[in-house]
């Protein structure tokens, strides 16, 4: 079987890590806050509980811990890391949280920056970092997905607050001249449908001096049209994955694992059905963590790697989708 044309430098997958906050918010507890029930949430989403950050486990802390574990698994000397890309929409520092992670790790030779693409963020960051490796600029990269959406959820809006949780995951990737285990990828954006899911700025007008106003920085809470996002996901994700299979001469029956952004179990099942991928190949941990935005894919992969479900040379079809609207897919061979 042929992958995408191998062109001198490829990507290999060397390590994974993850971190979630300690605080657990069950459906039962949410129902003390808004008019909902464990039964409603479970049957409509598959989610039972989610993790909520305290001041000790913000995006920088969680991202650092996830990255550290991935580096330990890869067994890398910290000085050899060239690049750290942090996918997040909820940085601890609006100027970028990746530099703090670089410093905490002591990966002093790495350039580190944030990338924002909401729930597609990890996939977009993985592809971005991979292109630096494939292009020959860098040899070793850490790609992190970390989000703390609990800080931006409207906890009085039962239509959205039940979905989200906090967490982080990371992968360690390395350039190799022997093969390319990022078999293929695709990315898409449709800003015209962005209003289906967004987190807009909310700026109070203030004066600096007479006649010169400024807008104080701030954000409102997550605004979501759940039904439209649902329809978007179950339509676009199978299309982009099918396109990817075609371009790489793969097919869904060659896939060992389907790792989708963990948004809703009904979305996972529907995409799997459309692609004729059996349920036992669809990895899911959203029951425990809900939707952790940029973190879901590496959090899921790390769990499956540590549980020895994802093994060396397994073929993983993955897709991220969400606000933007943005979506993407990648075909990976683990190892
Ligand atoms: O990264 C992407 C992030 N976003 C998503 O993944 C969102 C994708 N969409 C979804 O997952 C689903 O649309 C939801 C889980 C958000 C909602 O499920 P749904 O089956 O589409 O429900 P609905 O919005 O059609 O609402 C059905 C009913 C409504 O009541 P009426 O109008 O029929 O009387 C809602 O008011 O359920 C009501 N409802 C709730 N009831 C109890 C909405 N939220 C809740 C709730 N508990 N939490």
């Amino acid at each position: 079987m042929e992958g995408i044309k191998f062109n001198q430098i490829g990507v290999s997958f060397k390590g994974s890590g993850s971190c979630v906050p300690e605080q657990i918010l069950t459906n039962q507890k949410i129902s003390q806050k808004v008019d909902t029930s464990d039964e409603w949430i479970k049957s409509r989403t598959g989610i039972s509980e989610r993790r909520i950050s305290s001041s000790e486990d913000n995006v920088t802390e969680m991202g650092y811990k996830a990255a550290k574990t991935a580096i330990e698994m890869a067994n890398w000397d910290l000085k050899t890391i060239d690049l750290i890309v942090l996918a997040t929409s909820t940085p601890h520092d609006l100027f970028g949280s990746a530099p703090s992670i670089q410093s905490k790790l002591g990966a002093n030779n790495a350039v580190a920056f944030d990338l924002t693409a909401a729930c597609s963020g990890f996939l977009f960051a993985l592809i971005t970092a991979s292109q630096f490796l494939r292009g020959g600029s860098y040899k070793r990269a850490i790609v992190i997905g970390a989000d703390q959406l609990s800080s931006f959820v409207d906890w009085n809006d039962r239509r959205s607050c039940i979905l989200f949780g906090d967490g982080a995951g990371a992968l360690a990737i390395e350039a190799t001249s022997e093969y390319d285990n990022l078999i293929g990828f695709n990315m898409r954006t449709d800003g015209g449908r962005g209003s289906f899911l967004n987190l807009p700025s909310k700026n109070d007008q203030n004066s600096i001096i007479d006649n010169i106003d400024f807008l104080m920085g701030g954000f409102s809470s997550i605004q979501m049209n759940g039904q439209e996002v649902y329809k978007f996901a179950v339509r676009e994700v199978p299309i982009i994955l099918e396109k990817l299979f075609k371009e790489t001469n793969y097919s869904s029956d060659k896939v060992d694992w389907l790792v989708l952004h963990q948004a809703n179990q009904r979305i996972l099942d529907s995409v799997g059905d459309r692609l004729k991928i059996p349920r036992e190949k669809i990895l899911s941990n959203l029951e425990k963590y809900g939707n952790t935005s940029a973190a879901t894919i590496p959090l899921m992969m790390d769990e499956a790697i540590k549980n020895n479900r994802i093994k060396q040379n397994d073929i993983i079809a993955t897709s991220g989708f969400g606000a933007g609207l943005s979506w993407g897919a990648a075909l990976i061979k683990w190892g």
Side-chain angles (χ1 to χ4, degrees), residues 30 34-41 43-47 118-120 149 157-164 196-197 222 224-233 261-267 291-294 296 320-323 325:
I30 288 194
V34 289
D35 182 14
T36 190
S37 65
D38 179 47
E39 199 281 326
W40 192 97
I41 302 171
S43 63
R44 299 281 177 134
T45 69
I47 299 165
C119 299
S120 307
L149 287 186
D157 177 10
R158 69 174 184 173
R159 291 165 304 139
S160 61
C161 75
I162 53 151
L163 294 177
F164 300 105
F196 291 163
L197 179 55
I222 294 171
M224 185 182 77
N225 181 331
Q227 287 188 0
E228 288 297 341
V229 176
Y230 188 94
K231 281 190 271 179
F232 146 73
H261 167 51
Q262 306 280 301
N264 182 323
Q265 190 61 45
R266 283 156 58 215
I267 296 177
N291 178 345
T292 56
S293 191
T296 66
F321 52 87
L325 296 180

Side-chain angles (χ1 to χ4, degrees), residues 100-322:
S100 308
I101 294 176
Q102 181 247 26
S103 162
K104 279 178 84 73
L105 287 168
N108 299 335
N109 294 322
V111 61
F113 58 87
D114 292 13
L115 179 156
T116 299
C119 299
S120 307
F122 180 78
L123 203 76
F124 284 18
L126 178 66
I127 293 161
T128 301
S130 295
Q131 297 301 77
F132 279 108
L133 304 193
R134 283 170 157 184
S137 307
Y138 299 128
K139 193 154 170 31
R140 287 181 166 172
I142 296 294
V143 186
I144 307 163
D147 263 313
Q148 189 181 329
L149 287 186
S150 64
S151 301
F152 296 94
V153 161
D154 176 353
W155 288 104
N156 293 309
D157 177 10
R158 69 174 184 173
R159 291 165 304 139
S160 61
C161 75
I162 53 151
L163 294 177
F164 300 105
D166 303 333
L171 295 184
I173 61 172
E174 184 171 47
T176 170
S177 54
E178 286 156 42
Y179 49 83
D180 195 353
N181 279 349
L182 178 62
I183 299 164
F185 67 83
N186 260 307
M187 299 192 283
R188 294 289 310 276
T189 300
D190 180 0
R193 289 188 276 172
S195 62
F196 291 163
L197 179 55
N198 58 6
L199 178 40
S201 60
K202 183 165 166 275
N203 310 113
D204 291 333
Q205 190 155 327
N206 279 303
S207 289
I208 304 172
I209 53 169
D210 282 353
N211 300 322
I212 306 280
D213 292 342
F214 79 101
L215 299 172
M216 190 66 203
F219 291 89
S220 68
S221 53
I222 294 171
Q223 320 279 310
M224 185 182 77
N225 181 331
Q227 287 188 0
E228 288 297 341
V229 176
Y230 188 94
K231 281 190 271 179
F232 146 73
V234 297
R235 182 185 146 75
E236 300 292 359
V237 174
I239 291 174
I240 201 166
L241 279 164
E242 262 162 1
K243 184 167 177 285
L244 184 58
F245 292 144
K246 210 165 161 201
E247 286 167 358
T248 54
N249 290 323
Y250 270 74
S251 54
S252 59
D253 58 323
K254 302 283 187 303
V255 166
D256 294 300
W257 304 108
L258 182 64
V259 182
L260 299 179
H261 167 51
Q262 306 280 301
N264 182 323
Q265 190 61 45
R266 283 156 58 215
I267 296 177
L268 270 56
D269 293 344
S270 167
V271 171
D273 289 350
R274 285 192 198 199
L275 294 170
K276 300 195 169 56
I277 295 179
R279 294 280 157 94
E280 61 271 18
K281 291 187 174 183
I282 304 173
L283 294 181
S284 173
N285 62 3
L286 57 81
E287 185 181 8
K288 291 183 288 182
Y289 305 121
N291 178 345
T292 56
S293 191
T296 66
I297 291 174
L299 185 59
M300 183 67 254
M301 284 184 68
D302 182 50
E303 183 178 299
I305 289 158
K306 302 283 158 64
N307 290 346
N308 215 22
R309 295 188 83 192
I310 294 180
K311 298 190 187 68
Q312 197 79 359
N313 294 329
D314 277 0
I315 301 294
I316 303 159
T318 179
S319 176
F321 52 87

Side-chain angles (χ1 to χ4, degrees), residues 8-81:
Q8 290 170 338
I9 304 177
V11 177
S12 58
F13 292 83
K14 296 293 183 190
S16 67
S18 61
C19 173
V20 291
E22 302 252 303
Q23 285 193 104
I24 299 176
L25 180 63
T26 61
N27 292 346
Q28 186 63 39
K29 286 182 187 156
I30 288 194
S31 69
Q32 293 167 20
K33 172 81 181 157
V34 289
D35 182 14
T36 190
S37 65
D38 179 47
E39 199 281 326
W40 192 97
I41 302 171
K42 244 192 224 153
S43 63
R44 299 281 177 134
T45 69
I47 299 165
S48 291
E49 58 190 44
R50 67 289 292 142
R51 301 299 179 102
I52 305 294
S53 290
S54 61
S55 53
E56 292 92 59
D57 30 37
N58 57 56
V59 158
T60 301
E61 280 300 321
M62 292 190 294
Y64 157 70
K65 286 179 186 154
K68 189 167 180 287
T69 313
I71 294 164
E72 281 162 7
M73 183 173 163
N75 202 16
W76 286 350
D77 178 342
L78 290 162
K79 289 195 290 292
T80 64
I81 300 168

Side-chain angles (χ1 to χ4, degrees), residues 88-103:
T88 187
S89 305
T90 52
H92 192 49
D93 179 339
L94 216 45
F95 286 166
S97 291
S100 308
I101 294 176
Q102 181 247 26
S103 162

